[in-house]
Amino acid sequence: MRIHVVDHPLVAHKLTTLRDKRTDSPTFRRLADELVTLLAYEATRDVRTEQVDIQTPVMATTGVRLSHPRPMVVPILRAGLGMLDGMVRLLPTAEVGFLGMIRDEETLQASTYATRMPEDLSGRQVYVLDPMLATGGTLVAAIRELISRGADDVTALCLLAAPQGVELMERELAGAPVTVVTSSIDERLNEQGYIVPGLGDAGDRMYGSAG
């Protein structure tokens, strides 16, 4: 498994504002959207392309376009929805699937409650969106589901990651075709499973605390 921490001053600037508890929900959503687009730029460096012949106003030339089957973007509900626009802005031709997962706050184990994506993902590059790589259980379960459907190249985009989550993914997904792209690997998890210093509950800060 590969880990890529994006080192860029604009990423650091936006992340700092996201961390600030005074940042309101509308601003949080907008900045998360902008930050995801920056992460997506790095995450798609290895997106598959094919040559295509075109005619410019001046002459014929050769360029590239995204290969088929098209990439698939899969946000993990609900907080991953706040990352979707920022991702498809860069990949407008990608297909979008959805994966609903919930974490038990006592056991910290993730379970699936909804899926909406093709049964066969053979040959697909998949970009899975989850703001927080905390314990890692949710992403491990999500990526296993994608691989079981045939995905052969999975990239997870996370605003933040914790060392414990990274370690779990490296252990549980050893040898799997997985890359994690994030803006920071923070210090640790606290007793409640939150990233420290982190930015709080990403879903609550995007959408409020409605259950």
Side-chain angles (χ1 to χ4, degrees):
M1 192 183 79
R2 297 186 301 165
I3 304 289
H4 179 38
V5 180
V6 178
D7 181 15
H8 192 285
L10 286 180
V11 169
H13 166 72
K14 294 178 190 301
L15 178 58
T16 298
T17 307
L18 288 175
R19 291 188 191 274
D20 192 333
K21 68 179 184 180
R22 297 170 297 179
T23 300
D24 59 24
S25 288
T27 304
F28 190 97
R29 286 195 297 270
R30 176 177 59 80
L31 287 172
D33 177 82
E34 294 172 0
L35 180 54
V36 170
T37 298
L38 294 174
L39 296 180
Y41 181 79
E42 294 294 331
T44 54
R45 282 189 178 275
D46 295 324
V47 69
R48 294 167 187 161
T49 60
E50 59 189 17
Q51 283 194 341
V52 59
D53 295 325
I54 63 168
Q55 180 74 43
T56 79
V58 179
M59 62 173 288
T61 189
T62 301
V64 299
R65 66 183 176 194
L66 295 185
S67 300
H68 283 76
R70 290 180 290 172
M72 172 157 283
V73 178
V74 179
I76 297 179
L77 307 179
R78 71 176 167 149
L81 281 177
M83 303 173 69
L84 181 58
D85 285 350
M87 185 70 193
V88 299
R89 182 177 299 115
L90 210 62
L91 278 178
T93 61
E95 294 185 354
V96 178
F98 296 94
L99 188 56
M101 308 195 77
I102 190 167
R103 186 179 73 164
D104 187 300
E105 295 304 325
E106 293 184 3
T107 66
L108 303 183
Q109 296 300 308
S111 59
T112 302
Y113 65 86
T115 58
R116 181 74 176 183
M117 54 188 176
E119 289 295 329
D120 185 6
L121 294 174
S122 299
R124 287 285 188 101
Q125 286 182 292
V126 181
Y127 297 89
V128 58
L129 310 179
D130 193 12
M132 313 298 281
L133 172 50
T135 63
T138 299
L139 264 180
V140 166
I143 291 171
R144 281 177 171 164
E145 175 68 22
L146 295 169
I147 291 174
S148 74
R149 294 177 183 234
D152 65 358
D153 188 333
V154 180
T155 300
L157 279 76
C158 306
L159 302 182
L160 288 180
Q164 292 94 325
V166 171
E167 290 167 7
L168 181 77
M169 289 188 66
E170 289 178 330
R171 182 171 66 251
E172 297 295 323
L173 299 171
V178 177
T179 301
V180 175
V181 177
T182 184
S183 57
S184 174
I185 298 178
D186 277 10
E187 295 174 12
R188 57 185 173 86
L189 293 179
N190 65 15
E191 294 75 11
Q192 290 75 42
Y194 284 95
I195 298 175
V196 176
L199 50 74
D201 186 299
D204 287 353
R205 295 198 64 192
M206 285 180 185
Y207 304 118
S209 56

